[in-house]
Amino acid sequence: MNTNQPGLFDDLPTSPDEIICGVDEAGRGPLAGPVFAAAVILDPSRPIDGLRDSKKLTEAKRDLLAPLIKAQALAWAIAEASEAEIDKLNILHASMLAMRRAVEALKVQPTLALIDGNRCPVMKIQSIAVVGGDDKVEAISAASILAKTARDAALVTLHAAYPQYCFDQHKGYGTALHLERLRQFGASPVHRRSFAPVRAALAAGPQSLTEE
């Protein structure tokens, strides 16, 4: 298993037949759009240079690495949990659901999942949580990149449907611009109604365009 920290899993009982996937999510914090997750099984014979936590890479670098991961990994899958599922389950459990869906969608069945963070989704296979795993384990880094690029692309698509919110600029995060547009136009169908700023916008209603 390739990691950025030699010895990190020396105490893990693995065998040559172990098939390990890395898993990460993207989009827990935004006020709109689904939460995405990805699972990746890397091919040791086809290493990919530059894998690390997607948040530490530029958008251009992520966009270069994502197709390489898809082309060279043994298997990869991307899944999501919708805004309605986030509001029903809460964002933590919706993130777990998206991660489980990603693992279950892999075309190669893994025997072990390494999950970024301190919690694991309930799955049929063994899973281990790795705090900071997206910058320690290359398979998790790869999953981080796929989840992030997929979610960013989804928000650009949502921008075409709801251009007044400028999703292409802030990707749904609670920036000053996004909060301003929420106050002005109210919440869209893709906003997460369980999140406090969206609840506040729903309670206040859209402002008049002539309001100061």
Side-chain angles (χ1 to χ4, degrees), residues 48-98:
I48 302 169
D49 290 334
L51 294 177
R52 63 179 312 190
D53 176 5
S54 65
K55 297 184 293 295
K56 297 181 178 180
L57 297 170
T58 64
E59 182 177 359
K61 185 65 173 176
R62 291 193 299 265
D63 288 343
L64 284 173
L65 284 169
L68 276 177
I69 295 165
K70 293 176 180 179
Q72 295 182 206
L74 285 175
W76 62 271
I78 300 169
E80 64 185 81
S82 69
E83 304 89 357
E85 289 172 322
I86 292 168
D87 290 335
K88 179 180 178 181
L89 300 173
N90 76 41
I91 185 58
L92 172 62
H93 289 97
S95 298
M96 296 291 113
L97 176 61

Side-chain angles (χ1 to χ4, degrees):
M1 180 188 348
N2 290 330
T3 76
N4 294 325
Q5 293 192 4
L8 182 63
F9 295 107
D10 284 352
D11 59 346
L12 188 66
T14 60
S15 74
D17 298 325
E18 195 87 79
I19 301 174
I20 299 173
C21 70
V23 186
D24 199 7
E25 53 75 26
R28 283 180 64 164
L31 308 179
V35 61
F36 277 70
V40 177
I41 302 172
L42 292 175
D43 185 345
S45 69
R46 304 183 75 188
I48 302 169
D49 290 334
L51 294 177
R52 63 179 312 190
D53 176 5
S54 65
K55 297 184 293 295
K56 297 181 178 180
L57 297 170
T58 64
E59 182 177 359
K61 185 65 173 176
R62 291 193 299 265
D63 288 343
L64 284 173
L65 284 169
L68 276 177
I69 295 165
K70 293 176 180 179
Q72 295 182 206
L74 285 175
W76 62 271
I78 300 169
E80 64 185 81
S82 69
E83 304 89 357
E85 289 172 322
I86 292 168
D87 290 335
K88 179 180 178 181
L89 300 173
N90 76 41
I91 185 58
L92 172 62
H93 289 97
S95 298
M96 296 291 113
L97 176 61
M99 288 193 282
R100 178 171 62 79
R101 285 172 172 166
V103 172
E104 291 176 348
L106 288 167
K107 293 183 178 179
V108 176
Q109 178 66 44
T111 59
L112 173 65
L114 299 179
I115 313 292
D116 181 60
N118 59 7
R119 297 180 184 228
C120 293
V122 176
M123 296 185 293
K124 295 179 181 178
I125 64 170
Q126 180 187 6
S127 59
I128 297 174
V130 184
V131 175
D134 48 6
D135 216 26
K136 295 176 181 176
V137 181
E138 289 190 346
I140 301 179
S141 300
S144 170
I145 293 164
L146 291 192
K148 173 66 174 168
T149 52
R151 189 178 188 283
D152 284 356
L155 268 290
V156 171
T157 299
L158 288 181
H159 172 71
Y162 306 100
Q164 66 270 37
Y165 297 100
C166 303
F167 288 138
D168 62 329
Q169 296 183 45
H170 51 68
K171 305 301 190 293
Y173 284 90
T175 64
L177 172 62
H178 191 183
L179 294 174
E180 174 198 331
R181 296 306 172 92
L182 257 180
R183 288 190 294 268
Q184 183 176 352
F185 296 106
S188 75
V190 297
H191 276 96
R192 301 173 179 180
R193 280 151 170 71
S194 57
F195 281 44
V198 181
R199 289 200 308 270
L202 287 167
Q207 295 178 353
S208 166
L209 293 178
T210 60
E211 239 179 271
E212 293 295 326

